Amino acid sequence: MRIGHGFDVHRFGPGDHVMLGGVRIAHSAGLIAHSDGDVVLHALCDALLGACALGDIGRHFPDTDPRWRGVDSRQLLGHCYALVREQGLQLANADITVLAEAPRLARHAPAMVANIAADLDCLESQINLKATTTEKLGFVGREEGIATHAVVLLERIS
Ligand code: MG
């Protein structure tokens, strides 16, 4: 088995929605990014790459490359998971924690889990996604941005 951890942050900027877990969520701000700013999927990509000792998302999708401008991060996730499969590995489970003071995410979690399970070709019961605030503390608490931690366990394809 292989374990991986990913962490990502994006800062709020002008906009009327955020993309999280492939779900478009209306908000009074957007997330600044070269891609669609999906901090949930970026942390998950980094966890998958980390478990395979394949570096990080910046190495595979450099933000200097115009191919990735505004890209749907589900494409990046699909690419990362193809690399996992090339290693003879598959997802056992993922546990994801989103840190956001706003918007409130709990009601969007099932849709995010469904997207991730579809992209990782697994059951929804293999994906856990939870959201927390930071009790108004720190950059998340000041609503300057959103952060996500992701942990994955990969197993050999039998
Ligand atoms: Mg990112």
Side-chain angles (χ1 to χ4, degrees), residues 92-93 113 117 122-128:
N93 73 299
V113 167
C122 69
L123 303 172
E124 292 184 12
S125 60
Q126 290 170 266
I127 309 294
N128 190 65

Side-chain angles (χ1 to χ4, degrees), residues 8-10 38-39 42:
D8 195 30
V9 174
H10 281 271
D38 195 323
V39 68
H42 295 177

Side-chain angles (χ1 to χ4, degrees), residues 23 105-116 124 129:
V23 178
L105 301 175
R107 71 191 172 91
H108 300 289
M112 290 191 244
V113 167
N115 285 343
I116 292 166
E124 292 184 12
L129 189 143

Side-chain angles (χ1 to χ4, degrees), residues 7-10 32-35 37-43 46 57 73 76:
F7 176 69
D8 195 30
V9 174
H10 281 271
I32 300 170
H34 186 69
S35 67
D38 195 323
V39 68
V40 173
L41 299 188
H42 295 177
D46 265 347
I57 196 170
S73 293
L76 307 185

Side-chain angles (χ1 to χ4, degrees), residues 6-29:
F7 176 69
D8 195 30
V9 174
H10 281 271
R11 177 190 291 272
F12 281 127
D16 61 4
H17 72 281
V18 295
M19 291 299 296
L20 294 174
V23 178
R24 184 186 171 103
I25 299 168
H27 189 49
S28 55

Side-chain angles (χ1 to χ4, degrees), residues 85-107:
R85 299 298 295 254
E86 281 175 19
Q87 305 283 315
L89 295 162
Q90 64 186 3
L91 185 81
N93 73 299
D95 188 18
I96 302 162
T97 305
V98 189
L99 286 69
E101 202 68 39
R104 289 298 170 136
L105 301 175
R107 71 191 172 91

